[in-house]
Amino acid sequence: MKAETAYYRIGGLVLRVDSALPFDLETDDMRDFRIGEAPADYVYRFQPCSNLPEVTGETRVVNEYPFGYDLLGKDGGHFRALGWKGRLYDVVVSLGADTGVISYLSEELMAERREAGFLFPNYLALEHLFYRFGGLFLHSSHVNMGGRALLFSAPSGTGKSTQADLWEKYAGGEIINGDRTLLRKKDGVWHAYGCPMCGTSGIHKQGCEPIHAIVMLSQGKENTVKRLTPGEAFQRIYPEVTVPRWNRELVLRAMELLDDVMARVPIYALSCTPDERAVTALRGVIGL
């Protein structure tokens, strides 16, 4: 089958994907980020094979997903292994210095994944890649407020989507992503970028705005706002950062990036009600 090529712009980077698979395997979460041909910052290659690459030495599972595993070899080698229909794995993802290779055994199994709703970004391991380029993913709703980004972060079920909806309804905001935000510097300023991963929100748009504030949410009977010290902010925000905590190098990189975010971006705690009063209270403090 003739290889096809597609280009995507995510987080300010151009990603090129070369594949012998038809691009109807691409899911809606990626189509919003599709662009025309452009010089690539990183290349992914989908590669059929009869024997999957292996990590040398004894391997152990260090992270488990509904769709597969991250495995680590005794020699420190790492790969993402994706299983399907009872197989331990039939796809291996390996990120090189400038090329990521997605090796797969069966085009039929890849097609079945697509029909079952498997998300295309899971093949790309973007959370690993972007640490190389100074970016990190935050579990947060991302609202564009007239060219400034307002981010709501909290554990699942706290009310990120509710607060984002309220700011869209009562303050004229636009929700860029309902669950995940890519943070990366542009011209020395931390920006919030739209990204394909969006949890169950279904909202994944292109976007790039300087971050006005990050708001850590909790539920309350009244609305109170407090600006957090760096120490307080770190305790609240670090659990919401997507980082492979078994990878010491990436953990240290995440902490380094977070230190810079906390030094340059205001971070607030908002105990809030699920109504317009929360918008009024926060708006009075952060000035949007």
Side-chain angles (χ1 to χ4, degrees):
M1 181 180 293
K2 182 180 178 181
E4 297 184 48
T5 297
Y7 295 84
Y8 304 89
R9 179 170 281 109
I10 300 173
L13 299 182
V14 174
L15 308 180
R16 191 183 91 200
V17 178
D18 299 331
S19 177
L21 295 168
F23 269 89
D24 60 0
L25 291 179
E26 172 195 55
T27 43
D28 291 340
D29 47 354
M30 289 294 288
R31 291 192 184 112
D32 289 340
F33 299 86
R34 188 98 172 246
I35 61 171
E37 183 176 348
D41 297 292
Y42 196 79
V43 176
Y44 287 94
R45 184 169 297 117
F46 281 77
Q47 178 175 288
C49 61
S50 55
N51 294 296
L52 291 172
E54 296 181 0
V55 174
T56 58
E58 183 180 342
T59 63
R60 62 186 176 93
V61 174
V62 290
N63 199 15
E64 187 169 348
Y65 309 94
F67 52 79
Y69 313 88
D70 281 315
L71 296 107
L72 195 65
K74 185 183 296 184
D75 61 357
H78 160 255
F79 65 87
R80 173 165 290 177
L82 308 178
W84 190 249
K85 290 201 167 180
R87 290 176 175 266
L88 175 60
Y89 56 90
D90 60 279
V91 176
V92 167
V93 180
S94 178
L95 300 184
D98 52 17
T99 303
V101 178
I102 299 96
S103 304
Y104 61 92
L105 288 176
S106 165
E107 183 176 326
E108 289 72 24
L109 290 177
M110 297 289 277
E112 287 182 19
R113 274 192 180 85
R114 169 65 177 87
E115 292 301 316
F118 185 84
L119 298 179
F120 192 86
N122 289 334
Y123 291 121
L124 308 183
L126 295 175
E127 69 279 16
H128 291 259
L129 177 69
F130 268 92
Y131 278 111
R132 304 182 185 184
F133 292 93
L136 71 165
F137 287 93
L138 179 66
H139 184 212
S140 61
S141 292
H142 170 185
V143 183
N144 177 9
M145 294 296 300
R148 304 287 292 178
L150 178 60
L151 308 183
F152 294 102
S153 183
S156 297
T158 304
K160 297 185 305 299
S161 297
T162 298
Q163 293 300 315
D165 289 341
L166 290 170
W167 276 77
E168 188 171 65
K169 180 177 181 179
Y170 295 113
E174 177 192 12
I175 300 174
I176 301 299
N177 193 299
D179 187 73
R180 200 72 58 89
T181 309
L182 174 55
L183 279 56
R184 189 166 177 254
K185 275 186 171 179
K186 177 183 178 183
D187 300 326
V189 177
W190 282 101
H191 281 61
Y193 287 87
C195 66
M197 301 83 79
C198 64
T200 59
S201 72
I203 304 173
H204 41 68
K205 301 177 185 177
Q206 279 278 17
C208 173
E209 313 89 40
I211 303 171
H212 185 82
I214 300 172
V215 182
M216 307 305 300
L217 297 176
S218 61
Q219 297 176 355
K221 295 182 179 180
E222 301 295 333
N223 294 286
T224 59
V225 185
K226 174 189 175 184
R227 183 159 178 175
L228 299 175
T229 66
E232 292 170 332
F234 183 83
Q235 291 180 13
R236 296 283 296 272
I237 199 171
Y238 179 70
E240 306 308 322
V241 172
T242 304
V243 58
R245 287 172 170 79
W246 45 266
N247 186 318
R248 184 175 183 274
E249 179 182 351
L250 292 188
V251 167
L252 293 175
R253 180 63 172 147
M255 295 176 72
E256 176 188 354
L257 293 171
L258 271 181
D259 280 344
D260 196 68
V261 170
M262 293 184 298
R264 299 171 186 271
V265 177
I267 301 177
Y268 297 87
L270 171 65
S271 176
C272 56
T273 56
D275 53 40
E276 186 181 2
R277 292 176 296 164
V279 177
T280 302
L282 181 59
R283 203 170 192 180
V285 173
I286 67 174
L288 278 176

